[in-house]
C-alpha cells in the first residue's frame, strides 16, 4: 500500500518530463497524505495537462462523498471488476508525479519502521493512477485520484508485500492514451519494477504525522534492532534468571 509520498519537482521540470501543455503552481512537498490535493496528469481531448485532485477517488455515481469510503489505492488484480475503478480504468487513467514514496515495515515486536523509496538513479517517478470527476447537486465538482498497487518485487518484499505501479517512460504515453489503448492493454502496463530498479533507506517516524512536512523527513536515520522478548527461567535453588529467545 502506498499511503504517503514526496513530490519536489519544479513546474518546469514537470512540463518537460511529462510533455504537459500547462503548468500548475507547486511547492516541494515531503509528506503528501490521503485527502490532500495532489498534482496529477491526464489527457482530455488530446491535451495532456496537470491538475490538482483529491487523493481518494470518488466515482461519479456516488451520492454523497462524505459517506463514501476513502479509496486511495486500487489493486491491479481487481480494478477492472470493482465498480469504483472499472470506468476510470477505461476512461480516467492518470499519472501522479513523485520524487519517492514511503512504506512501513512491521518489525517482529509489531512496531512499524518507515522507509523512503526512490528509483535507483534518482529520476522522478510516474505513479500509475486513476481519476474521476464527481458533480454535486448544487454544481460542486471534485476531481479525485487513486494510485494503483501491484505485488512487491523480491527487493521491496523485504519491507512490504505491495508497491505502487511505477511506469517507465515508454509506458506513460500508452497509459494516458484512453482513446486508443483499451483497459485490458493498459492493465498489462501496471507491473512491479524489476529488482534493483529501486533503493530505500529508513527514515524518521515523524513521517507518521501528516503535520510534519520538511526535507528532514527523507533523510536516512540509524535504526536499532528491535529488542527481543525476555522471559524468566527458573534455576536450581528456586531463583530465576533472564532468558532471551
Amino acid at each position: 500500500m502506498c499511503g504517503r509520498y514526496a513530490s519536489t519537482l519544479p513546474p518546469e521540470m514537470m512540463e518537460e518530463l511529462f510533455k504537459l501543455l500547462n503548468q500548475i503552481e507547486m511547492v516541494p512537498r515531503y509528506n503528501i497524505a490521503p485527502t490532500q490535493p495532489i498534482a496529477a496528469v491526464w489527457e482530455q481531448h488530446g491535451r495532456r495537462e496537470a491538475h490538482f485532485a483529491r487523493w481518494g477517488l470518488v466515482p461519479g455515481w456516488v451520492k454523497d462523498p462524505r459517506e463514501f469510503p476513502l479509496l486511495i489505492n486500487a489493486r491491479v488484480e481487481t480494478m477492472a471488476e470493482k465498480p469504483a475503478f472499472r470506468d476510470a480504468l477505461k476512461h480516467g487513467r492518470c499519472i501522479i508525479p513523485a520524487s519517492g514514496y514511503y512504506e512501513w515495515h512491521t518489525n517482529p515486536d509489531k512496531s512499524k519502521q518507515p522507509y523512503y523509496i526512490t528509483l535507483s538513479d534518482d529520476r522522478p517517478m510516474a505513479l500509475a493512477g486513476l481519476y474521476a470527476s464527481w458533480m454535486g447537486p448544487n454544481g460542486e465538482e471534485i476531481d479525485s485520484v487513486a494510485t494503483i498497487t501491484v505485488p512487491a518485487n523480491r527487493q521491496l518484499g523485504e519491507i512490504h508485500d505491495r508497491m505502487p505501479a511505477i511506469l517507465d517512460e515508454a509506458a506513460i504515453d500508452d497509459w494516458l492514451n484512453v482513446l486508443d489503448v483499451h483497459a485490458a492493454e493498459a492493465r498489462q502496463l501496471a507491473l512491479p519494477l524489476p529488482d534493483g530498479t529501486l533503493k530505500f533507506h529508513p527514515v524518521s517516524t515523524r513521517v507518521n504525522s501528516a503535520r510534519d512536512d520538511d526535507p528532514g523527513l527523507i533523510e536516512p536515520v540509524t535504526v536499532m534492532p528491535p529488542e527481543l522478548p525476555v522471559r524468566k527461567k527458573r534455576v536450581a535453588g528456586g531463583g530465576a534468571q533472564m532468558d532471551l529467545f
Side-chain angles (χ1 to χ4, degrees), residues 112-245:
K112 292 183 181 292
Q113 172 59 51
Y115 285 78
Y116 184 59
I117 302 164
T118 63
L119 289 172
S120 57
D121 57 5
D122 295 315
R123 288 183 297 110
M125 294 177 170
L127 308 183
L130 304 173
Y131 82 90
S133 295
W134 178 86
M135 294 290 294
N138 299 315
E140 317 97 301
E141 184 172 356
I142 299 175
D143 288 332
S144 60
V145 301
T147 56
I148 294 171
T149 67
V150 296
N153 61 24
R154 185 172 58 179
Q155 179 190 19
L156 266 292
E158 300 175 18
I159 299 176
H160 198 273
D161 62 352
R162 305 289 295 180
M163 64 184 293
I166 303 170
L167 301 176
D168 61 28
E169 186 176 355
I172 291 175
D173 289 347
D174 285 343
W175 179 259
L176 295 179
N177 185 359
V178 296
L179 294 178
D180 302 315
V181 180
H182 299 298
E185 300 171 272
R187 160 68 179 79
Q188 301 305 314
L189 302 172
L191 301 169
L193 289 181
D195 290 336
T197 314
L198 298 164
K199 61 183 179 180
F200 53 84
H201 58 259
V203 294
S204 169
T205 53
R206 288 197 303 118
V207 75
N208 295 348
S209 171
R211 293 188 299 270
D212 289 327
D213 190 346
D214 60 77
L217 294 178
I218 66 174
E219 295 298 323
V221 299
T222 300
V223 176
M224 299 298 293
E227 293 185 5
L228 294 172
V230 177
R231 71 180 180 187
K232 290 184 178 181
K233 182 174 68 175
R234 295 197 174 279
V235 296
Q241 70 180 24
M242 306 305 287
D243 181 31
L244 295 179
F245 67 98

Side-chain angles (χ1 to χ4, degrees), residues 5-195:
Y5 73 98
S7 183
T8 61
L9 309 178
E12 58 273 15
M13 183 180 291
M14 286 260 298
E15 184 180 14
E16 180 178 353
L17 285 174
F18 302 116
K19 306 174 187 176
L20 301 179
L21 296 177
N22 72 324
Q23 286 188 10
I24 57 176
E25 291 299 321
M26 295 177 56
V27 296
R29 296 287 310 281
Y30 296 90
N31 193 12
I32 300 172
T35 75
Q36 294 178 350
I38 67 173
V41 175
W42 61 76
E43 291 183 359
Q44 284 183 320
H45 311 299
R47 292 180 59 86
R48 182 179 300 185
E49 296 183 338
H51 306 262
F52 284 116
R54 173 187 183 264
W55 189 8
L57 190 123
V58 181
W61 44 262
V62 169
K63 291 184 177 180
D64 187 349
R66 294 170 297 182
E67 299 178 359
F68 192 71
L70 185 63
L71 302 178
I72 65 170
N73 296 140
R75 296 174 69 95
V76 71
E77 299 93 334
T78 58
M79 62 183 180
E81 292 80 38
K82 295 285 187 180
F85 301 126
R86 61 189 176 201
D87 286 344
L89 180 60
K90 296 175 184 177
H91 310 296
R93 299 192 298 268
C94 67
I95 59 171
I96 294 99
S99 305
Y101 74 97
Y102 299 95
E103 193 57 83
W104 280 257
H105 173 68
T106 302
N107 294 316
D109 64 354
K110 305 305 180 183
S111 64
K112 292 183 181 292
Q113 172 59 51
Y115 285 78
Y116 184 59
I117 302 164
T118 63
L119 289 172
S120 57
D121 57 5
D122 295 315
R123 288 183 297 110
M125 294 177 170
L127 308 183
L130 304 173
Y131 82 90
S133 295
W134 178 86
M135 294 290 294
N138 299 315
E140 317 97 301
E141 184 172 356
I142 299 175
D143 288 332
S144 60
V145 301
T147 56
I148 294 171
T149 67
V150 296
N153 61 24
R154 185 172 58 179
Q155 179 190 19
L156 266 292
E158 300 175 18
I159 299 176
H160 198 273
D161 62 352
R162 305 289 295 180
M163 64 184 293
I166 303 170
L167 301 176
D168 61 28
E169 186 176 355
I172 291 175
D173 289 347
D174 285 343
W175 179 259
L176 295 179
N177 185 359
V178 296
L179 294 178
D180 302 315
V181 180
H182 299 298
E185 300 171 272
R187 160 68 179 79
Q188 301 305 314
L189 302 172
L191 301 169
L193 289 181
D195 290 336

